[in-house]
Amino acid sequence: MSNEKTVPVATYLFTRLHQLGIRSIHGVPGDFNLVALDYIPKAGLNWVGNCNELNAAYAADGYARIKGISAIVTTFGVGELSALAGIGGAYSEHVPVIHIVGYPSTTAQKSGALLHHTLGNGDFTVFTQMSKHISETVALLNDVHTAGKEIDRALKTCYQSSRPVYITLPTDVVEKEIPVESLNTPLDLAFDPNDPEVEADVIDTIIQELYAAKKAVILVDACAVRHRALDEVHELMNKSLLPAFVTPMSKGAIDETNPRFGGVYVGSLTRPDIKDAVESSDLIISVGALKSGGFTYHTSAKHTVELHSSQVKIGYAVYPNMKMKLVLRKLIDTLDFKKLQHGSETSKSEPPLISNDKEADAEKSDSEVITHAWLWPRVGQWLKANDVVIAETIGYAVGATQGAALAAHELDPSRRVILFEGDGSLQLTAQEIATMIRHKLKPIIFILNNEGYTIERLIHGEDAVYNDIASWKHTQLLETFGAKEGEYKNFVAKTRSELDTLFDNNQEFSSAPYIQVVELFIPKMDAPKRLQVTAQQTAQRNAHS
């Protein structure tokens, strides 16, 4: 830092973000945050500038999943409210997003001034109250004397909880000077130790369960990723030789070339041999569970050890305030792996064989029609190690791709970022393609053209007009959104042969030298088998709940 003794509050805040590893700030300008935005480049940060706040929230979520944490700046009232669906999603899935809201001046707040973006009732806290329910903490920077401490508290909370936090930045506080001294010391992000006596009891109980088990497995879910426990998971997996499985939301978290990797557990929708391996086990070490397998798990709570970010559950006993990363570390350091009944090459249980063999997994047919049963095994053959893959979720994926692509570029520009998006979902947040182009990001965007909302058609209203959408000219989107000649390409695949040719013979395409769109034509009612079953289950729940 400089030799100055004080810095503006905005400088303090954005410098702290830089110290956390953030390099780009998502958001949308508005009159209550404009002066604050001037301080972003001064802190060595890049302003992204999104098309709307909802897209910005999705982009910040995608960025955080790659970089570990992110930030979004919106304006008071209408701006922050537009972002809440994305912030709520980040809260539910434990994604650390720092939401900074440009706020009216403290003078206006105290007087209850009638301002735009308010409800006209003098209450400036209404929108903050809304955000409290989807924020781990709220920091109101109305008092310049506590602003630095409040910033530090909120940022540490965001990092440690892996959930969004909400920070207000009033217009008359932005440039107020506060001591710079604290900035010379990076934030202490280390967790406080677990209670040693309780932790010792937890470790001893888990160890005895492991020694007694004959068919133990490890099941890794999303919070193992969000709460940065993957190094410990891999070490436990490699030293114990226990079969390890992931859930859909933790797909890619475990090294899938590891011989102990057993596949993806999706509850009742799981491949039979994988389902049997998990559900017939006599002990499950569950790490970071969000129960993301369609909420249809058929596992025994009595024979499960659940390691969560803030508690441990062993059978029916709950141990609060136990942080799983610390518990895992102590477990690995204490466990005598030779005593495990799976602890040798001759006695360990073999996980199910996971193959990426197109011929073994793909639909057997002479048809040229691109179906999901044929497509995904084929895509699996084309993907490369370290690819970032974003799959369609309605509305989220385009914005998230922008954020993920930016984060990937900052960390390793050689990584490919690949989006698979339905034509209906695309129409919700398509504008963010323009932001990708403006920042020279290079995702490959596969648009699955199946004439509307197929997932909704599978649930209800197969031929209903509300599941129809306007037909877009997808191969004109990049040019429309500002891509320059020679800096983009479009492809169309209506047959399997056309997609095979693109994958096998077009090395320039596969090298992702610039942003590209591939429009795939898929039958209107075609869907992966597991999605069809999920849709049926959803329809049944809707009818009987």
Side-chain angles (χ1 to χ4, degrees):
M1 297 299 301
S2 69
N3 293 323
E4 297 176 358
K5 294 183 178 181
T6 62
V7 291
V9 170
T11 295
Y12 189 100
L13 172 58
F14 293 131
T15 300
R16 278 299 198 209
L17 298 186
H18 191 280
Q19 290 175 349
L20 289 175
I22 295 171
R23 292 296 178 267
S24 297
I25 308 294
H26 292 87
V28 177
D31 56 346
F32 292 118
N33 66 27
L34 292 175
V35 174
L37 299 186
D38 289 338
Y39 287 83
I40 288 177
K42 297 176 183 178
L45 300 171
N46 169 50
W47 171 248
V48 177
N50 298 93
C51 298
N52 60 56
E53 290 86 357
L54 175 60
N55 288 2
Y58 289 148
D61 181 298
Y63 184 97
R65 290 174 192 245
I66 302 298
K67 289 290 291 275
I69 196 166
S70 69
I72 171 178
V73 178
T74 63
T75 194
F76 171 79
V78 293
E80 60 178 302
L81 292 181
S82 289
L84 289 195
I87 298 296
Y91 184 86
S92 69
E93 296 194 4
H94 291 249
V95 181
V97 177
I98 301 157
H99 185 188
I100 301 164
V101 179
Y103 229 65
S105 70
T106 57
T107 302
Q109 294 179 55
K110 289 175 182 177
S111 67
L114 183 62
L115 295 179
H116 60 295
H117 297 191
T118 70
L119 298 182
N121 60 1
D123 185 357
F124 286 81
T125 69
V126 173
F127 310 126
T128 301
Q129 294 299 322
M130 294 180 184
S131 281
K132 274 187 177 180
H133 298 285
I134 52 173
S135 302
E136 192 68 15
T137 194
V138 168
L140 309 176
L141 305 186
N142 285 359
D143 184 350
V144 67
H145 298 98
T146 61
K149 290 183 178 180
E150 279 295 280
I151 289 169
D152 288 355
R153 179 186 66 83
L155 299 188
K156 183 173 181 177
T157 298
C158 182
Y159 181 89
Q160 291 191 335
S161 69
S162 283
R163 274 185 158 159
V165 297
Y166 177 97
I167 300 174
T168 68
L169 186 55
T171 56
D172 60 342
V173 173
V174 171
E175 297 187 294
K176 291 287 181 63
E177 297 284 324
I178 62 175
V180 72
E181 183 179 359
S182 294
L183 285 181
N184 295 322
T185 304
L187 284 175
D188 179 9
L189 301 174
F191 290 106
D192 293 332
N194 291 328
D195 181 287
E197 291 186 7
V198 178
E199 185 179 63
D201 186 45
V202 166
I203 296 299
D204 182 65
T205 305
I206 296 174
I207 286 175
Q208 296 310 313
E209 292 279 348
L210 278 167
Y211 289 165
K214 297 179 180 179
K215 294 178 62 179
V217 300
I218 301 169
L219 181 60
V220 182
D221 208 337
C223 279
V225 183
R226 309 286 190 268
H227 293 275
R228 308 168 187 89
L230 291 183
D231 286 345
E232 290 80 5
V233 167
H234 278 96
E235 188 174 350
L236 177 63
M237 179 177 162
N238 291 330
K239 289 183 175 179
S240 70
L241 299 179
L242 295 176
F245 302 83
V246 296
T247 64
M249 284 178 57
S250 58
K251 179 75 170 73
I254 284 181
D255 177 5
E256 297 185 8
T257 66
N258 190 307
R260 308 312 299 153
F261 176 68
V264 183
Y265 180 68
V266 203
S268 61
L269 306 179
T270 308
R271 201 177 83 182
D273 57 338
I274 298 173
K275 184 174 185 292
D276 179 68
V278 174
E279 296 179 2
S280 68
S281 64
D282 58 0
L283 180 65
I284 296 175
I285 305 297
S286 170
V287 186
L290 276 180
K291 296 292 178 70
S292 60
F295 308 103
T296 55
Y297 282 28
H298 298 290
T299 56
S300 169
K302 182 179 180 180
H303 300 293
T304 300
V305 174
E306 295 186 19
L307 305 178
H308 296 281
S309 59
S310 59
Q311 70 174 27
V312 171
K313 185 177 180 183
I314 304 175
Y316 300 109
V318 177
Y319 299 81
N321 303 315
M322 288 285 108
K323 304 169 189 71
M324 69 177 172
K325 185 177 176 71
L326 302 184
V327 170
L328 276 168
R329 181 71 267 152
K330 184 64 67 72
L331 177 64
I332 293 166
D333 292 343
T334 308
L335 194 61
D336 183 350
F337 293 99
K338 294 179 181 179
K339 292 184 179 181
L340 295 180
Q341 298 191 48
H342 301 270
S344 71
E345 287 296 325
T346 57
S347 67
K348 69 180 187 296
S349 297
E350 292 297 335
L353 178 63
I354 303 300
S355 170
N356 205 30
D357 182 359
K358 179 184 68 172
E359 297 302 323
D361 296 338
E363 175 187 65
K364 302 296 191 299
S365 173
D366 293 330
S367 171
E368 278 291 294
V369 175
I370 298 175
T371 62
H372 285 277
W374 177 86
L375 175 64
W376 300 115
R378 184 67 185 91
V379 167
Q381 290 291 305
W382 173 74
L383 293 175
K384 300 177 181 178
N386 297 318
D387 282 345
V388 177
V389 180
I390 299 97
E392 169 188 357
T393 54
I394 296 177
Y396 166 83
V398 176
T401 297
Q402 183 266 297
L406 183 57
H409 178 75
E410 291 174 2
L411 289 172
D412 180 2
S414 69
R415 293 184 76 179
R416 299 190 306 181
V417 177
I418 301 159
L419 167 65
F420 293 95
E421 181 78 331
D423 55 349
S425 299
L426 175 72
Q427 294 192 8
L428 297 176
T429 50
Q431 316 98 303
E432 222 49 47
I433 293 174
T435 308
M436 301 178 202
I437 293 169
R438 183 158 58 91
H439 289 278
K440 299 187 183 304
L441 303 176
K442 304 173 182 180
I444 301 175
I445 302 172
F446 289 87
I447 300 174
L448 281 58
N449 188 333
N450 54 8
E451 303 179 57
Y453 299 122
T454 295
I455 177 59
E456 273 80 4
R457 296 189 200 278
L458 292 170
I459 297 171
H460 182 79
E462 178 175 338
D463 298 312
V465 66
Y466 49 74
N467 286 326
D468 295 335
I469 61 172
S471 179
W472 283 11
K473 298 183 184 301
H474 295 119
T475 55
Q476 295 181 20
L477 286 177
L478 296 180
E479 183 178 4
T480 300
F481 284 133
K484 297 178 181 179
E485 188 67 32
E487 296 181 357
Y488 70 94
K489 273 194 177 177
N490 295 293
F491 303 89
V492 174
K494 295 184 177 181
T495 68
R496 299 179 183 188
S497 296
E498 289 173 341
L499 189 58
D500 278 334
T501 299
L502 182 62
F503 282 167
D504 294 338
N505 300 333
N506 194 326
Q507 295 303 311
E508 182 184 47
F509 162 75
S510 294
S511 70
Y514 31 62
I515 191 168
Q516 300 174 100
V517 160
V518 182
E519 184 173 17
L520 304 177
F521 285 82
I522 295 177
K524 187 175 184 177
M525 292 303 295
D526 186 62
K529 289 181 180 179
R530 291 185 178 88
L531 184 59
Q532 295 177 34
V533 174
T534 300
Q536 293 170 2
Q537 293 174 343
T538 301
Q540 291 169 0
R541 283 196 299 269
N542 290 346
H544 294 98
S545 59

